[in-house]
Amino acid sequence: MSARNKVRKAVFPVAGLGTRFLPATKAVPKEMLTVVDKPVIQYVVDEAIEAGIEHLVFVTGRGKAVIEDYFDIQVELEQTLRERNKKVEIELLEGILPAAGMTSFTRQQAPLGLGHAVWCARDIVGNEPFAVLLPDMIMRGDKGCLKGMMEVYEQTGGNVLAVEECHPDQAHKYGIVGVGKEVGGGFEITKMVEKPAKGTAPSNFFINGRYILQPEIFNILETQERGAGNEIQLTDGMLKLLEKQGFSAYHFRGETYDCGAKDGFILANVAFALARADIRPSVEEQLKALLAR
Ligand code: UTP
């Protein structure tokens, strides 16, 4: 594959209002809420870096400046840690710091929708394919979701979406894809339907919040009218792109937690805590006691 086609940049739309987490999100962006001891956004950035992403593009909004600070050096803190010889903590902070020049931040002045947020990254992304990762969704699997998508992309090119299977009764809650022939370890997407009416979904495969898109999406989003929720929807833009370009699906077979919803966020904390050897025994014991009440 030519260098022009490599997916080097990932866009993280973090400009939403996070109304489901009010009052916390009055002062703290939901992407900075912690799952065990890391902010949600860190999990998603780790997934992008594991997949070989070289540049992180954050589309932020008002009240989100703390995200930019999080990805910077905290000089006073690190100085104090050095004075106290806190080697483990210093290493931890150094390990998560993106390389100089590896991040870009742009603003979506008004939360006009996910499609609009992605469009705000157009100049930073330029004329090359890119990934979009919804920071609400954090995933666990043998292999990162975006890494798996990259493997499909290497075979198919074009646009790649990650999908997962839902119970047929739940399909009306999601963006559902139509299943075509097998390609590159995934399958061809024949259609996309946002929140299909009950009993009409073309499959049980829903789009889980990870996308590899070609830059032609930007021109489409530029003139995209508002759709569901009076917002400029990414799915509406992708539907137009599907008329001109191929879309493939990567079937992610891991666990996904929707940290934009209260139950998903709490479950993520439980699941990630149980996966940690240092705290599992105590968490497990206390959870059992709680459930027995
Ligand atoms: P959501 O609709 O789940 O996030 O958007 P939200 O609007 O922040 O949450 P609620 O519904 O009010 O609780 C999915 C992702 O798209 C981003 C959000 O930040 C989130 O990561 N987004 C959404 C934007 O960046 N801009 C928008 O205008 C809308």
Side-chain angles (χ1 to χ4, degrees):
M1 187 167 295
S2 74
R4 158 150 167 25
N5 287 330
K6 191 167 183 280
V7 181
R8 301 187 309 118
K9 297 178 184 172
V11 175
F12 303 88
V14 291
L17 297 178
T19 49
R20 284 169 289 171
F21 275 95
L22 281 169
T25 43
K26 191 179 163 199
V28 184
K30 70 174 172 182
E31 298 79 11
M32 291 304 293
L33 298 176
T34 52
V35 169
V36 188
D37 49 11
K38 287 196 288 187
V40 169
I41 189 77
Q42 182 71 58
Y43 290 87
V44 189
V45 163
D46 288 347
E47 182 189 328
I49 289 173
E50 180 201 352
I53 290 296
E54 296 165 14
H55 196 97
L56 314 169
V57 184
F58 298 88
V59 181
T60 73
R62 271 187 299 286
K64 304 270 182 167
V66 67
I67 299 176
E68 196 162 346
D69 290 340
Y70 175 78
F71 288 106
D72 194 3
I73 292 173
Q74 232 280 31
V75 180
E76 282 153 31
L77 172 65
E78 291 181 27
Q79 179 63 32
T80 310
L81 291 175
R82 258 183 216 104
E83 282 163 15
R84 294 184 185 174
N85 204 22
K86 298 269 185 196
K87 289 192 182 133
V88 176
E89 288 79 0
I90 294 168
E91 262 175 39
L92 178 80
L93 295 184
E94 285 173 353
I96 58 164
L97 189 70
M102 190 185 172
T103 53
S104 294
F105 294 83
T106 188
R107 283 253 176 153
Q108 184 191 26
Q109 286 100 340
L112 299 180
L114 177 59
H116 183 261
V118 170
W119 179 73
C120 288
R122 66 199 180 281
D123 282 345
I124 301 173
V125 170
N127 189 25
E128 55 182 278
F130 63 103
V132 177
L133 295 94
L134 298 194
D136 285 358
M137 311 303 280
I138 62 173
M139 295 161 186
R140 271 197 335 172
D142 298 338
K143 171 163 55 184
C145 183
L146 186 60
K147 193 171 170 42
M149 293 167 73
M150 291 286 207
E151 288 167 8
V152 171
Y153 176 78
E154 274 162 28
Q155 304 294 316
T156 62
N159 305 274
V160 180
L161 309 182
V163 297
E164 289 177 51
E165 265 180 301
C166 64
H167 192 277
D169 289 353
Q170 301 295 307
H172 64 282
K173 294 183 179 168
Y174 298 104
I176 302 286
V177 299
V179 180
K181 66 175 193 292
E182 284 182 20
V183 280
F187 62 81
E188 226 174 61
I189 292 177
T190 55
K191 56 167 99 164
M192 296 173 217
V193 192
E194 191 60 45
K195 297 189 175 68
K198 277 194 177 178
T200 66
S203 78
N204 299 330
F205 287 106
F206 70 93
I207 303 169
N208 75 359
R210 299 289 185 267
Y211 315 77
I212 292 174
L213 296 170
Q214 294 298 317
E216 286 75 18
I217 191 77
F218 291 127
N219 277 344
I220 294 173
L221 290 173
E222 183 148 5
T223 53
Q224 183 64 51
E225 282 166 14
R226 290 175 188 236
N230 201 27
E231 291 190 340
I232 297 169
Q233 297 289 351
L234 182 60
T235 312
D236 292 342
M238 291 195 301
L239 271 171
K240 285 194 191 136
L241 191 57
L242 182 64
E243 289 167 16
K244 300 179 196 149
Q245 292 185 1
F247 273 73
S248 314
Y250 163 68
H251 184 185
F252 177 67
R253 292 178 177 86
E255 297 158 32
T256 299
Y257 299 93
D258 180 1
C259 290
K262 293 180 186 77
D263 52 355
F265 175 72
I266 288 162
L267 278 173
N269 266 288
V270 172
F272 280 83
L274 290 175
R276 283 265 299 257
D278 56 339
I279 51 173
R280 178 175 178 125
S282 134
V283 171
E284 193 174 8
E285 193 187 316
Q286 294 181 64
L287 267 180
K288 277 186 188 151
L290 260 182
L291 290 169
R293 269 191 208 162

